Amino acid sequence: MTKHKSIHRKTLFFVVLMIIAAILVLIVRLMYLMIFHSEQYAKRAKDLHERERSIKAERGMIYDRTGLVIADNKPVCTISVIHNQIKDKELVISSLSEILQLSEETVRKRVEKYSSIERIKSNVDKETADQIRNLGLDGVMVDEDYKRYYPYDDLASRVLGFTGSDNQGIIGLEVEYDSYLSGINGKILTLATAHGIEIDNAAENRVEPIPGNSLYTSLDVTMQMYAEQAAKKVMEKKQAQRVSIILMNPQNGEIYAMVNVPEFNLNSPYEFNEVLREKYDNVTLTSEEKNTILNTMWRNPCISDTYEPGSTFKVVTAAAALEEKVVSLTDRFFCPGYKKVEDRNIRCHKAGGHGSESFVDGIKNSCNPVFMEVGARVGAERMYDYYKTFGLREKTGVDLPGEANSIMHKLENVEAVELATMSFGQSFQITPLQLLRTASAIINGGTLVTPHFGVEIKNAEGTTIKTLTYETKSQAVSKETSETMKMLLEAVVADGSGKKAYLPGFRIGGKTATSEKLPRRSGKYISSFLGFAPAQDPKVIALLMIDEPVGIYYGGTVAAPVVAEVLENVLPYLGIEPAYSEQEIVTYEIGNFEIPDFIGKSKKEAEEIISAYYFDEIYYIGEGDTVIEQFPLSGEIVNKNSDLILYLE
């Protein structure tokens, strides 16, 4: 009996001991959780009872050089649902599908999904969002948002780029400066039960969003429009595949305009532009095929595509030869229409040849045999040194994504034939912007600049937070060589192959080119013209490329006049007024003209007549639509830039 009682006591003692041990473990665990992990579990409890909704930050604006907004924001809304807060599921599904024009299947899938919050549709306009908000549907959230908006639709589309559904940059400046333009999203925090039901009358916590910074650029809307207008006109006239124009300040690398027509609408970037719509109107495309076409449409050929520059590259060969002092302006050459290099006869563009000519004549005539000879004097090794010095072996560093680099022979593979063809711009490829950068160094005194759009970054209050700077390299060529090249290239326009770029009152320098596309003898060409003004002190340099013009394709014939048209508008806009020589006044009858007869004409008809004359100010007196009197009178001879007064009935 005693023995059994002893065993029972031992068992009881062991059980009590285990209970005490368990209690001690629980106390220690509880102390551990309450003291060392209190913050973690408090956060988990808070997360369980808080619902978080994002407040989109406003993306920073993009401005042109005059302060015009070229990338803006439009207020929109995001419609979302919280599953556990929905009381009438079918009403929510039918209402949202009808108002948002979505299929019931799509809306149902999202409404029935068990998640803390599910987005139904973004970028909903305010009117539609207010319609949903006024229904007062339980579990349906209407949150403020922003959508990127481009006031000029397709202006500089491949430069500006566009944003995705979450307002992140996709291409162009939008992605290059995305870290500055993107703001910091805010949030709304509401209290809910453990089952996700929002607690009535509970206070909301709101963390305000921080708007993004704004980008100020060198792009000029007016100059872009001038260039785009000229590009569209020549593209239609010559039925070309594409026309590209770049306008840049050769002194500091600021890009004023970069046109690639046909452009595309930035407010609907996933839709084909007009040319592609016509081409694929009745074609069924897979999603993969459509994406490939869209990527091609978004591609910026000025920086991402390489081409053989042709005769515009002769400015490089000439500058290198002058710098090396292997040629002088009075050196004589003979062009029979070709030059024999090793076992090949390489032709000049003029079949019968130019005969005896000086180096100056060779540049004005764009004579291939002259440049083959000059290139041979410089030699392959030194020529490649100049290519490197001129930045032709590296990317320009432009502040746009997707820049390509040049494609050239390895130096050890350059024989006499390769050197000869490279001397006049064939058998290698560069980007248009690389050529423009090199030409700028040749005419600006020898400074290799970095082409760019970005100028400064400002915050939402307008305070400058960063002034953007770019690398420059001095003495690509000497000032003496630069002055000589400006004089030679002005002669090309005044009395050479580029004379169709001549503008009375302005000193224009330039070089023509007609590049045969690969494969050879395909009958496809790129007509181009490189021009700058004023020749003595360049403030703007332009490069125009017409891809596959139909009919006449010579650069001097079809490309030079287009650059002249652009510069005729751009130079006065930049404050550079014409200064006519006495010979120009006589030759072009500048200065005096006879006043036409406006009486009886409608206001619209009068304005069409006025556009052909050099009036300074036009004054309309009266509010009618028909001209009943004018001053000066018709037939009077007046000076250019005289005023005109038209009296309306």
Side-chain angles (χ1 to χ4, degrees), residues 19 32 137 220 316 319 332 414 459:
I19 291 172
Y32 174 75
L137 298 171
D220 190 293
V316 177
R332 304 295 300 180
V414 177
N459 62 19

Side-chain angles (χ1 to χ4, degrees), residues 387-405:
Y387 292 167
K388 183 177 180 180
T389 301
F390 289 144
L392 292 167
R393 306 301 303 277
E394 64 186 13
K395 296 179 181 180
T396 68
V398 66
D399 51 346
L400 286 176
E403 183 179 16
N405 204 349

Side-chain angles (χ1 to χ4, degrees), residues 257-467:
M258 185 177 282
V259 172
N260 295 283
V261 292
E263 302 274 3
F264 64 91
N265 193 330
L266 289 168
N267 292 308
S268 51
Y270 294 94
E271 296 178 9
F272 289 168
N273 60 28
E274 186 177 349
V275 172
L276 291 175
R277 281 199 301 271
E278 289 180 6
K279 185 175 181 180
Y280 295 104
D281 188 31
N282 297 314
V283 179
T284 303
L285 299 169
T286 65
S287 58
E288 186 177 343
E289 288 171 334
K290 184 177 180 181
N291 287 338
T292 300
I293 296 167
L294 285 173
N295 281 309
T296 302
M297 183 179 77
W298 299 335
R299 186 180 179 88
N300 187 340
C302 289
I303 66 164
S304 298
D305 291 355
T306 58
Y307 78 118
E308 288 187 334
S311 294
T312 49
F313 195 76
K314 290 172 182 174
V315 301
V316 177
T317 305
L322 289 169
E323 194 74 0
E324 284 291 290
K325 302 190 186 311
V326 297
V327 70
S328 70
L329 301 185
T330 56
D331 281 1
R332 304 295 300 180
F333 300 85
F334 185 80
C335 169
Y338 65 92
K339 181 174 174 61
K340 188 173 182 63
V341 181
E342 291 185 338
D343 60 340
R344 301 187 191 181
N345 286 335
I346 303 177
R347 296 179 301 162
C348 182
H349 67 88
K350 187 175 182 180
H354 295 100
S356 178
E357 57 189 338
S358 68
F359 180 59
V360 176
D361 293 329
I363 291 179
K364 291 197 295 185
N365 296 330
S366 196
C367 179
N368 287 349
V370 168
F371 280 88
M372 286 188 268
E373 171 63 28
V374 169
R377 292 184 190 182
V378 177
E381 189 170 341
R382 288 297 293 144
M383 193 65 83
Y384 267 62
D385 288 340
Y386 280 102
Y387 292 167
K388 183 177 180 180
T389 301
F390 289 144
L392 292 167
R393 306 301 303 277
E394 64 186 13
K395 296 179 181 180
T396 68
V398 66
D399 51 346
L400 286 176
E403 183 179 16
N405 204 349
S406 56
I407 303 171
M408 291 188 172
H409 299 287
K410 292 182 178 179
L411 178 58
E412 57 267 26
N413 296 331
V414 177
E415 303 293 343
V417 171
E418 287 75 25
L419 179 59
T421 54
M422 291 177 76
S423 297
F424 58 82
Q426 285 189 5
S427 75
F428 68 95
Q429 295 193 353
I430 58 176
T431 67
L433 198 59
Q434 282 179 313
L435 176 61
L436 203 65
R437 182 192 189 203
T438 297
S440 294
I442 290 172
I443 64 170
N444 72 9
T447 301
L448 194 65
V449 297
T450 299
H452 62 274
F453 289 96
V455 176
E456 59 182 351
I457 308 292
K458 293 185 179 182
N459 62 19
E461 288 73 44
T463 303
T464 299
I465 62 172
K466 185 172 184 179
T467 299

Side-chain angles (χ1 to χ4, degrees), residues 15-146:
V15 170
V16 171
L17 188 64
M18 290 299 294
I19 291 172
I20 292 170
I23 291 171
L24 287 173
V25 169
L26 288 172
I27 291 171
V28 171
R29 176 65 177 167
L30 189 60
M31 289 175 63
Y32 174 75
L33 294 176
M34 291 177 67
I35 296 172
F36 297 104
H37 284 269
S38 60
E39 290 185 6
Q40 176 187 342
Y41 283 95
K43 182 178 183 303
R44 289 176 66 177
K46 184 180 179 182
D47 290 344
L48 178 65
H49 293 283
E50 274 190 343
R51 295 293 179 192
E52 178 181 305
R53 304 204 314 273
S54 177
I55 307 174
K56 286 290 181 66
E58 189 173 4
R59 191 170 175 84
M61 309 278 210
I62 302 179
Y63 295 87
D64 88 332
R65 69 190 288 266
T66 67
L68 288 175
V69 177
I70 49 180
D72 204 344
N73 298 300
K74 181 185 287 186
V76 291
C77 293
T78 296
I79 311 299
S80 308
V81 292
I82 298 175
H83 180 83
N84 287 344
Q85 294 181 11
I86 296 174
K87 293 180 180 178
D88 190 337
K89 183 178 68 175
E90 294 304 322
L91 178 61
V92 168
I93 292 171
S94 61
S95 298
L96 294 185
S97 62
E98 180 183 350
I99 296 172
L100 297 177
Q101 296 182 347
L102 296 172
S103 68
E104 282 202 11
E105 183 183 356
T106 300
V107 177
R108 183 178 297 277
K109 189 182 296 183
R110 293 171 185 172
V111 166
E112 293 180 345
K113 186 175 180 180
Y114 285 88
S115 62
S116 59
I117 188 165
E118 189 70 21
R119 182 186 299 173
I120 302 297
K121 190 175 182 180
S122 301
N123 297 329
V124 176
D125 63 80
K126 296 281 286 181
E127 185 179 339
T128 303
D130 288 341
Q131 188 179 350
I132 294 172
R133 187 184 282 114
N134 293 336
L135 292 176
L137 298 171
D138 291 316
V140 177
M141 302 293 122
V142 180
D143 294 318
E144 301 300 316
D145 199 351
Y146 292 97

